Amino acid sequence: MLTDTFGRVATDLRVSLTDRCNLRCTYCMPEEGLQWLAKPDLLTDEEIVRLVRIAITELGITEVRFTGGEPLLRPGLIGIVEQCAALEPRPRISLTTNGIGLRRTATALAGAGMDRVNVSLDTLRPHVFKRLTRRDRHHDVLSGLQAAREAGLTPVKVNAVLMAGLNDDEAPDLLAWAIENGYEMRFIEQMPLDAQHGWRREGLITADDILLSLRSRFFLTSEEKELRGSAPAERWLVNGGPHRVGVIASVTRPFCRACDRTRLTADGQIRTCLFATEETDLRGALRRGAPDEEIARIWRVATWGKKAGAGLDAPDFEQPDRPMSAIGG
């Protein structure tokens, strides 16, 4: 098992497949993009599958989420999913994507063994989408969402970040749209994961702000706490159900005490938290021929040193030195 000194057990593995992305979201990276990792620095398809296998068979991982950057840009994605779905015991497999490439890949992903997807979409307004992402691809995301639903990659969860002066009035419209289309809506407080370190606590659209906005149109009933488990989202029944909405209070109500995640970056580093300032190298061990047992030991040691929490409310909070695109959401 992957256990830390606070008694938390990691069963959820987030795997970043690439640091590259085909959007330039203002809260993630600068308009000109970033200096991407060199290809030799990236884990190969075979190395990714081996690490996932070790995580499942040696370390108790039961769920694998592929992330990026934008994971649909990874050429070998379908094969990676297929090989991971064939592992025993079979993990639950999901994907976090911006949705742009889902129209052409959803059926193949489902056929390879993908269980479901999370799609990021912050607005229903094409002009706001273009301003936020610096790309005119809103229609592609909507098309990708529909394709994911039709391929059976359900529940299709839609993640939205609300920002003051841009889309902070859209929460009720987004939820109504998600219900109409059979998606599960989740709102996420903006986290300090931008490459420019331009995030400021002032003006943050909080979970309480979001709930207040949603209640202007919907009746929300809090889901039983025991049903939440280690999930980051507080979930609410909408108008008595069956539809639900999730709110992830990453900043104002961090869920660190229940965290069950471990993260593998695209270049083979273990991170115990999105906000960690230290990493543990597995790529080096892989490439010098270390056996599975040694790699599992390195991973266990890294997890044992996981900190109590991200410390987002601390006055001296230090943002991570790598943007979200290089870490994996």
Side-chain angles (χ1 to χ4, degrees), residues 201-229:
R201 181 66 178 264
E202 299 79 14
L204 174 71
I205 305 301
T206 68
D208 289 339
D209 295 331
I210 294 165
L211 290 170
L212 182 63
S213 178
L214 292 175
R215 286 183 171 124
S216 70
R217 193 182 306 179
F218 302 96
F219 178 71
L220 303 181
T221 306
S222 180
E223 195 173 64
E224 296 293 333
K225 288 186 177 180
E226 54 266 24
L227 295 177
R228 179 181 179 184

Side-chain angles (χ1 to χ4, degrees), residues 235-277:
R235 297 209 305 175
W236 306 78
L237 287 173
V238 181
N239 295 338
H243 301 289
R244 290 174 170 80
V245 62
V247 179
I248 301 177
S250 310
V251 177
T252 60
R253 293 193 289 275
F255 47 91
C256 301
R257 280 184 290 183
C259 181
D260 64 348
R261 300 176 183 182
T262 182
R263 299 176 182 275
L264 178 64
T265 68
D267 55 349
Q269 310 300 304
I270 287 298
R271 294 179 72 95
T272 57
C273 175
L274 270 175
F275 299 97
T277 56

Side-chain angles (χ1 to χ4, degrees), residues 40-303:
D41 293 335
L42 294 171
L43 292 176
T44 66
D45 295 358
E46 292 75 17
E47 288 170 337
I48 290 170
V49 173
R50 183 185 174 196
L51 289 175
V52 172
R53 176 179 57 77
I54 291 170
I56 291 168
T57 60
E58 303 283 340
L59 301 172
I61 292 296
T62 59
E63 182 163 347
V64 177
R65 170 85 61 86
F66 292 113
T67 69
E70 173 45 52
L72 295 182
L73 296 179
R74 177 87 185 201
L77 173 62
I78 302 300
I80 291 171
V81 172
E82 192 168 37
Q83 291 180 72
C84 290
L87 295 171
E88 292 292 342
R90 186 195 188 282
R92 295 185 299 275
I93 303 175
S94 57
L95 179 85
T96 294
T97 172
N98 62 31
I100 288 176
L102 268 179
R103 167 55 67 183
R104 59 179 172 77
T105 57
T107 300
L109 285 169
M114 181 70 64
D115 294 307
R116 65 172 190 84
V117 295
N118 283 21
V119 179
S120 299
L121 180 65
D122 300 321
T123 178
L124 296 176
R125 304 165 182 164
H127 70 281
V128 175
F129 181 91
K130 186 175 181 179
R131 181 177 175 186
L132 281 170
T133 68
R134 304 184 179 105
R135 298 291 187 272
D136 188 13
R137 305 297 298 273
H138 189 258
H139 61 289
D140 292 317
V141 180
L142 297 181
S143 177
L145 278 160
Q146 181 180 348
R149 184 188 62 211
E150 292 172 351
L153 296 173
T154 55
V156 177
K157 296 183 179 181
V158 180
N159 297 336
V161 176
L162 300 182
M163 287 154 284
L166 287 173
N167 62 342
D168 52 329
D169 62 336
E170 287 199 64
D173 290 340
L174 280 162
L175 179 54
W177 164 83
I179 290 172
E180 180 182 352
N181 288 278
Y183 309 136
E184 184 174 323
M185 196 71 220
R186 304 198 312 174
F187 296 95
I188 306 174
E189 290 180 340
Q190 184 185 1
M191 293 180 285
L193 290 168
D194 57 315
Q196 312 93 292
H197 289 189
W199 181 89
R200 295 293 181 271
R201 181 66 178 264
E202 299 79 14
L204 174 71
I205 305 301
T206 68
D208 289 339
D209 295 331
I210 294 165
L211 290 170
L212 182 63
S213 178
L214 292 175
R215 286 183 171 124
S216 70
R217 193 182 306 179
F218 302 96
F219 178 71
L220 303 181
T221 306
S222 180
E223 195 173 64
E224 296 293 333
K225 288 186 177 180
E226 54 266 24
L227 295 177
R228 179 181 179 184
S230 59
E234 301 174 61
R235 297 209 305 175
W236 306 78
L237 287 173
V238 181
N239 295 338
H243 301 289
R244 290 174 170 80
V245 62
V247 179
I248 301 177
S250 310
V251 177
T252 60
R253 293 193 289 275
F255 47 91
C256 301
R257 280 184 290 183
C259 181
D260 64 348
R261 300 176 183 182
T262 182
R263 299 176 182 275
L264 178 64
T265 68
D267 55 349
Q269 310 300 304
I270 287 298
R271 294 179 72 95
T272 57
C273 175
L274 270 175
F275 299 97
T277 56
E278 298 177 349
E279 298 177 331
T280 300
D281 181 30
L282 291 186
R283 185 189 64 198
L286 281 173
R287 294 182 180 177
R288 70 169 181 266
D292 290 357
E293 295 76 11
E294 181 181 346
I295 292 170
R297 180 191 62 78
I298 296 170
W299 207 327
R300 288 192 188 98
V301 171
T303 304

Side-chain angles (χ1 to χ4, degrees), residues 310-323:
L312 290 170
D313 289 320
D316 58 347
F317 170 70
E318 181 181 354
Q319 296 185 38
D321 58 1
R322 293 222 270 174

